[in-house]
Amino acid sequence: MAESQNNNQLNEHLLNRSSHPAEAAHTVESRRLEEVLSNAELPLWKRLPSATWMELKLLFPLAGPAILVYFINNLMSNATRAFAGHLGNLELAAANLGNSGVQLFAYGLMLGMGSAVETLCGQAYGANKYEMLGIYMQRATIVLTLTGIPLTLVYVFCKQILLFIGEPPSLASAAAVFVYGLIPQIYAYAINFPIQKFLQAQSIVSPSTYISAVTLLLHMLLSWVVIYKLGFGLIGASLVLSLSWWIIVVAQFVYIVSAPECRHTWTGFSVEAFNGLWEFLKLSAASAVMLCLETWYFQVLVIITGLLENPQLALDAISVCMAITGLTLQGGIGFNAAASVRVSNELGAGNGRAAAFSVVVVNILSFVIAVVEAVVVLALRNVVSYAFTEGETVANAVSDLCPFLAITLVLNGVQPVLSGITN
């Protein structure tokens, strides 16, 4: 009875002290978790179940919607590849080479640099410095937009680059057509990732999920109309993909400026965002290194595959495997975001034990999910490729690659989480 009264008093005190409703609820749960972990009077075997349940209640509201957002965003790219693949094997190979061989370069860099926003916003939120979240978001958008300028040059000259490294001319030409339509997507990335991290740091993740889900449905409809009915082919497929990303960006920004939940963290545009750009660039570049290496090795793999004796078959097979990897990787990236927010929030609030315990829980959970994904892929190894192409030869090649794919899935289940924590 006394313990219940103390808990109620603690909750009331924390709720009254906070000026941000979401922060108040988070603070109550975080303080409880820290107290349980610090209670030396209870044996470890009694503390762990209670602490684990508290951590899961804090983690899943972050990780679940974040995974859905990344999954849906990745599904848009995979849907575009599938639409291109049903135009023909050359189109599938070109879309994969353009998407994974060129576009992934920008995606890895932008997402990696956006991780700096996640860390800074998470710590500022945990320390109740709400006004800094909007400034960090604006500062990141400026830096990432400027980074997009040299990336645009890579896209413009991608045909010459692909030819220089030895890709077949017909494949390089088709891939270049696809990539040209992805140029607007670069700048959508530059705005989208800071916005996502800004919202995630405040545990506001459901709006991005709903926006992405609606956009995916619109993307599927527009892709079908533009590619098949209007006959725009590869350039139409990539332009629709760029448009879909811009729809997500605009919708999320409208939510930020109009939602009551963001009134403490978004106070309008500020000239302070232009201060410390160089320092932020260095921090974001350091944050980008680990995630970039993870995404760019996929890119190198695709480019090398295009140099094999039968590049069209090889690219078709590897594209299916990478599409599966990309979908399942979103779980790891979602836990990456959740882990980064959880740890930075707890450190910002001075809860060291809760931060360390969150690291352990999220890694174990992500590993278990990755093992389940690997088992499912092995069970479906003979049929999984037919979602992307109708070729039996490609299906047999994918089936042979599935054991290696399963190992990759397990490793990718843990590595992004560790990346999010170290950032």
Side-chain angles (χ1 to χ4, degrees):
M1 184 71 176
E3 182 179 354
S4 176
Q5 277 187 328
N6 289 337
N7 284 337
N8 290 336
Q9 290 174 355
L10 172 64
N11 294 350
E12 185 178 357
H13 169 71
L14 291 172
L15 287 168
N16 290 335
R17 191 187 66 175
S18 175
S19 61
H20 194 292
E23 190 272 338
H26 174 270
T27 299
V28 170
E29 296 299 326
S30 295
R31 290 290 177 88
R32 282 180 176 175
L33 177 59
E34 185 73 12
E35 286 183 357
V36 169
L37 292 171
S38 304
N39 189 356
E41 296 179 1
L42 287 176
L44 183 62
W45 64 272
K46 284 188 176 181
R47 277 183 285 164
L48 282 181
S50 179
T52 301
W53 177 242
M54 291 180 182
E55 175 60 33
L56 291 177
K57 288 195 295 183
L58 289 167
L59 181 65
F60 271 111
L62 284 172
I67 290 171
L68 282 176
V69 168
Y70 289 119
F71 179 83
I72 292 170
N73 291 345
N74 184 264
L75 197 57
M76 287 197 303
S77 295
N78 283 338
T80 300
R81 291 191 219 186
F83 277 114
H86 289 286
L87 290 173
N89 286 340
L90 175 62
E91 286 79 3
L92 175 61
N96 182 63
L97 184 59
N99 213 333
S100 300
V102 178
Q103 178 263 356
L104 194 62
F105 177 81
Y107 181 88
L109 183 61
M110 294 292 190
L111 180 58
M113 293 179 72
S115 297
V117 189
E118 196 168 53
T119 302
L120 291 173
C121 285
Q123 291 178 350
Y125 186 76
N128 301 338
K129 298 179 179 178
Y130 301 130
E131 71 284 352
M132 291 304 301
L133 273 74
I135 293 173
Y136 287 144
M137 182 183 71
Q138 295 173 60
R139 190 173 296 163
T141 301
I142 295 169
V143 171
L144 267 65
T145 300
L146 294 175
T147 304
I149 297 174
L151 289 176
T152 302
L153 296 178
V154 175
Y155 279 46
V156 170
F157 295 103
C158 69
K159 180 179 178 180
Q160 290 79 2
I161 295 172
L162 293 173
L163 290 172
F164 177 76
I165 63 177
E167 299 291 347
S170 60
L171 187 57
S173 298
V177 170
F178 183 83
V179 168
Y180 295 153
L182 295 178
I183 291 176
Q185 189 186 49
I186 298 173
Y187 299 96
Y189 285 162
I191 304 174
N192 177 74
F193 292 130
I195 286 177
Q196 276 191 351
K197 306 306 182 183
F198 167 86
L199 291 171
Q200 287 171 1
Q202 304 172 68
S203 302
I204 303 174
V205 284
S206 295
S208 296
T209 307
Y210 298 139
I211 290 169
S212 296
V214 173
T215 305
L216 174 62
L217 297 177
L218 182 62
H219 174 77
M220 300 283 282
L221 177 61
L222 289 176
S223 296
W224 178 74
V225 171
V226 171
I227 296 171
Y228 297 141
K229 296 301 179 181
L230 300 181
F232 282 98
L234 284 173
I235 185 66
S238 56
L239 283 173
V240 169
L241 185 58
S242 292
L243 174 62
S244 297
W245 273 91
W246 272 106
I247 291 172
I248 291 174
V249 168
V250 172
Q252 289 183 131
F253 184 72
V254 169
Y255 175 83
I256 288 173
V257 298
S258 60
E261 294 87 350
C262 299
R263 67 182 182 274
H264 296 283
T265 52
W266 173 259
T267 56
F269 295 101
S270 172
V271 294
E272 191 176 345
F274 291 91
N275 296 330
L277 291 179
W278 176 245
E279 289 74 13
F280 187 87
L281 176 62
K282 291 189 291 184
L283 175 63
S284 61
S287 298
V289 170
M290 186 175 295
L291 189 57
C292 283
L293 290 176
E294 180 183 344
T295 55
W296 289 350
Y297 88 79
F298 281 119
Q299 184 180 19
V300 172
L301 179 62
V302 170
I303 292 174
I304 292 175
T305 302
L307 302 177
L308 297 177
E309 184 177 347
N310 189 347
Q312 187 170 309
L313 173 62
L315 279 170
D316 286 346
I318 203 68
S319 71
V320 174
C321 292
M322 290 186 65
I324 297 168
T325 302
L327 285 173
T328 56
L329 182 62
Q330 305 318 305
I333 295 178
F335 280 117
N336 169 307
S340 180
V341 171
R342 285 286 302 120
V343 172
S344 57
N345 281 171
E346 298 298 350
L347 291 178
N351 300 329
R353 288 185 175 86
F357 188 72
S358 180
V359 172
V360 176
V361 171
V362 74
N363 273 286
I364 293 175
L365 186 60
S366 183
F367 175 76
V368 171
I369 293 174
V371 170
V372 173
E373 291 171 346
V375 172
V376 171
V377 166
L378 286 175
L380 300 176
R381 61 186 296 181
N382 294 320
V383 297
V384 69
S385 69
Y386 289 108
F388 299 90
T389 182
E390 300 172 359
E392 184 177 349
T393 306
V394 176
N396 293 333
V398 171
S399 179
D400 293 337
L401 290 173
C402 272
F404 303 100
L405 175 61
I407 297 173
T408 301
L409 297 182
V410 174
L411 295 177
N412 282 339
V414 178
Q415 195 280 331
V417 179
L418 295 175
S419 174
I421 294 166
T422 54
N423 284 340

